[in-house]
Amino acid sequence: MSQKSSPLTLVLMVASAAIGGTLQYGYNLAIMNAPTAFIQAFINETFLERWDIQLEGYQVTLVWTIIVSIFSLGGFAGALIAGPMTISFGRKKCLLLNNVFLMSGSLFALTSRAAKSFEMIIISRVLIGINAGISMNVQPMYFGECAPKHLRGAISLSSAVFTAFGVVLGQVVGLREILGSESCWQYLLACNAIPGFIQLLTLPWFPESPRYLLIDRGDKEACMDALRRLRGCEVQSSELDEILQEQAETRGVRPSRPWELFTDRSVRWQLISVIIISSAMQLCGNDSIYFYSSYVFKEAGISDDQIQYFTIGTGTCEFTACIMCNLLVERKGRRFMLTGGFLLMTIWAVVFTVALVFEHYVSWMPYLSVACVFTYILSFGMGPAGVTGVLPTEIFNQATRPAAYMIAGSMMWLNLFIVGMIFPFLVSGLREYCFVPFGAVCLSSALYIGLFLPETKGKSLSAITREFNKLNFKGQDKLSESQTETQYQLGEVGLSTAF
């Protein structure tokens, strides 16, 4: 008779990893709104004091844009080094080492004002970006490998819940009454060190990923001990057998490099799916609607003093939606949540555009615009925000998973940078039609997912691989498909002649 499962360790591990992990991404996105005017004044004062130069408005804006956007390039660098770090150090140790970038960045931000150096803020944002880039890749991988199969989606999706919580936390801490004032902006930029300290104190007490321990290190005893602690009961033979099977399939196979996945036909559609959905997560315009929300709230007659509180409502909206998605993803499935989220965002993009076109002609249109801001964010949180990070864990094996996360993370950060750079030009060029391109991205993504992405809920890797092989080897005979599927699971595609 098996013992009753009480996975308290798993829940606490998720909290510990995420507090110093993906929470940082959301937090560091949100805190840059409050001190905009103060840091721009600091930039101008620095130039004036050093070189006796009074910067023009557009020059200050350019430096400020670099400070904000460089975070994305740091994230891109973090995504590239996350894969090799997880292979060399393991998932848990990688998250702990990642705090080196966080603490260094916080120190630069804290001392930038005293040093009268806006360059230190830029360096800080690069380092914080690297920290976020590593966390966004490693944490979902760690969660997916630690969670039991029936909770894999919900546990992995908790990364998105903590990202949304980080946004809310950043918005609250950025209030003028707390740290969003002229005298405190350096503390606002540096207080992201506090969650990092919490992680450094708590995460070492939790186990490493059982799959990493057995498949990568070959330590069966450590794997079983980790499973016992994470499940709160004796190890189920079926779960251990599944990990042992994957170990047998990947024994002697080195981890794939990112560029190798592009030439590997057995993962072609898995890779296409990850690239499209990771790109769509940023190109769908959710981060842009946060930017546009202040204008929408102002047009609706909300005073400048009250806008900061309505902005917190947008972050709370996404946080609530991510929790709802977490509760629904194991019932409704990944494909349903993704398709539904993107379709709803398409609808709200159309309604939002109509509301912007007629806002000066119909008295209640500005209020419809406000409603669209919240419904757009809700729809994003219900699907793309969380489910996107789950997919690489479920559709790639142990040998290809780190490389897949590197590619997915790189696409996410590059597209975040691109959207951040072009959105002001979209607004000035398309004006009230600026959300039409985002609506087109959402519709295209929904169609792709509905037509090509198989459902992964509760399925083993081999079952998911068979689904994808119907696309990867379409038109080939059954024997060829079966042989190449086996080679993919062994990580030995292209080496069959050696046997």
Side-chain angles (χ1 to χ4, degrees):
M1 183 187 237
S2 63
Q3 295 178 343
K4 185 179 179 182
S5 173
S6 177
L8 179 62
T9 301
L10 179 62
V11 174
L12 294 176
M13 179 275 288
V14 166
S16 174
I19 283 172
T22 52
L23 180 142
Q24 294 286 357
Y25 170 66
Y27 179 84
N28 287 291
L29 277 180
I31 60 171
M32 295 309 290
N33 291 325
T36 300
F38 307 133
I39 296 179
Q40 287 180 345
F42 173 69
I43 293 167
N44 217 345
E45 291 166 9
T46 303
F47 268 86
L48 194 61
E49 188 172 324
R50 283 187 196 170
W51 301 294
D52 198 27
I53 296 174
Q54 180 73 44
L55 292 179
E56 299 290 336
Y58 77 90
Q59 293 173 317
V60 176
T61 303
L62 177 63
V63 178
W64 172 248
T65 303
I66 292 171
I67 289 173
V68 174
S69 300
I70 206 77
F71 175 71
S72 304
L73 295 183
F76 176 65
L80 291 178
I81 65 175
M85 283 183 70
T86 56
I87 294 166
S88 301
F89 302 111
R91 286 39 165 165
K92 185 182 82 169
K93 193 175 289 186
C94 180
L95 288 172
L96 291 170
L97 289 171
N98 191 27
N99 284 288
V100 172
F101 299 107
L102 173 67
M103 299 304 171
S104 302
S106 298
L107 185 62
F108 273 105
L110 183 64
T111 56
S112 60
R113 189 169 192 168
K116 297 181 179 179
S117 171
F118 66 87
E119 296 91 344
M120 292 176 69
I121 303 177
I122 296 174
I123 295 171
S124 168
R125 292 294 288 176
V126 172
L127 292 169
I128 297 297
I130 293 172
N131 170 269
I134 293 172
S135 296
M136 292 292 283
N137 275 20
V138 179
Q139 187 182 301
M141 194 189 312
Y142 183 38
F143 288 178
E145 293 178 1
C146 287
K149 186 164 61 176
H150 68 285
L151 292 176
R152 191 172 56 205
I155 294 294
S156 297
L157 211 149
S158 60
S159 296
V161 173
F162 276 89
T163 298
F165 177 64
V167 170
V168 177
L169 185 64
Q171 291 170 338
V172 172
V173 175
L175 289 173
R176 284 186 291 272
E177 296 84 349
I178 304 178
L179 292 179
S181 61
E182 195 278 333
S183 60
C184 295
W185 61 259
Q186 71 272 27
Y187 304 115
L188 175 64
L189 299 187
C191 68
N192 51 19
I194 296 173
F197 276 119
I198 295 173
Q199 184 183 79
L200 286 172
L201 291 173
T202 56
L203 191 59
W205 299 98
F206 296 102
E208 177 57 271
S209 156
R211 288 181 179 272
Y212 173 79
L213 291 170
L214 182 57
I215 299 173
D216 291 81
R217 285 177 45 185
D219 192 340
K220 185 177 178 180
E221 287 303 316
C223 170
M224 293 184 67
D225 181 61
L227 284 171
R228 286 191 200 98
R229 293 177 61 192
L230 291 168
R231 305 293 179 262
C233 63
E234 285 301 314
V235 180
Q236 299 293 315
S237 59
S238 58
E239 183 172 17
L240 184 61
D241 288 344
E242 184 184 337
I243 301 176
L244 285 168
Q245 180 185 356
E246 189 172 348
Q247 182 200 31
E249 292 169 348
T250 57
R251 181 177 283 118
V253 178
R254 65 167 177 76
S256 298
R257 297 182 176 90
W259 55 87
E260 292 174 342
L261 298 189
F262 288 95
T263 58
D264 187 347
R265 183 166 185 173
S266 65
V267 294
R268 177 178 296 173
W269 280 94
Q270 290 94 315
L271 189 61
I272 291 171
S273 298
V274 163
I275 289 174
I276 289 176
I277 298 170
S278 296
S279 298
M281 184 178 171
Q282 297 301 340
L283 297 177
C284 67
N286 184 70
D287 290 327
S288 301
I289 209 160
Y290 276 107
F291 174 86
Y292 215 68
S293 60
S294 296
Y295 165 78
V296 172
F297 295 151
K298 193 175 293 185
E299 287 296 310
I302 299 167
S303 66
D304 290 341
D305 291 337
Q306 298 298 314
I307 283 176
Q308 62 174 343
Y309 303 109
F310 276 81
T311 301
I312 293 174
T314 60
T316 306
C317 196
E318 183 174 340
F319 179 52
T320 305
C322 285
I323 293 175
M324 292 170 62
C325 183
N326 195 291
L327 298 173
L328 290 172
V329 69
E330 293 298 348
R331 295 183 181 183
K332 298 297 184 180
R334 284 57 156 159
R335 187 167 67 172
F336 176 86
M337 301 301 290
L338 280 170
T339 307
F342 279 122
L343 282 176
L344 285 173
M345 291 171 75
T346 304
I347 294 169
W348 298 126
V350 172
V351 176
F352 192 33
T353 300
V354 171
L356 291 174
V357 169
F358 291 101
E359 66 181 356
H360 298 301
Y361 304 100
V362 182
S363 60
W364 50 267
M365 278 296 173
Y367 302 104
L368 179 61
S369 298
V370 171
C372 285
V373 167
F374 287 101
T375 52
Y376 201 88
I377 293 170
L378 265 174
S379 303
F380 177 76
M382 285 294 291
V387 182
T388 303
V390 179
L391 290 178
T393 297
E394 296 191 320
I395 65 179
F396 290 92
N397 66 14
Q398 196 79 1
T400 56
R401 194 173 295 134
Y405 265 106
M406 288 172 66
I407 294 170
S410 299
M411 296 306 300
M412 189 195 81
W413 287 102
L414 276 177
N415 284 294
L416 177 62
F417 176 75
I418 291 168
V419 169
M421 293 300 291
I422 70 169
F423 184 68
F425 299 101
L426 276 178
V427 173
S428 60
L430 298 179
R431 301 180 66 82
E432 61 267 23
Y433 298 99
C434 63
F435 271 83
V436 171
F438 298 132
V441 169
C442 293
L443 180 60
S444 302
S445 302
L447 290 173
Y448 174 83
I449 293 163
L451 292 173
F452 299 109
L453 184 71
E455 181 55 67
T456 60
K457 181 188 73 170
K459 294 181 181 178
S460 65
L461 176 65
S462 58
I464 296 168
T465 302
R466 283 194 296 272
E467 290 284 333
F468 271 108
N469 280 347
K470 294 175 184 176
L471 295 170
N472 290 330
F473 304 104
K474 193 173 182 179
Q476 293 190 5
D477 57 73
K478 297 286 185 182
L479 179 60
S480 174
E481 178 180 331
S482 175
Q483 286 175 341
T484 317
E485 177 189 340
T486 305
Q487 290 164 2
Y488 160 61
Q489 291 174 345
L490 289 168
E492 297 170 353
V493 173
L495 298 177
S496 58
T497 56
F499 293 92

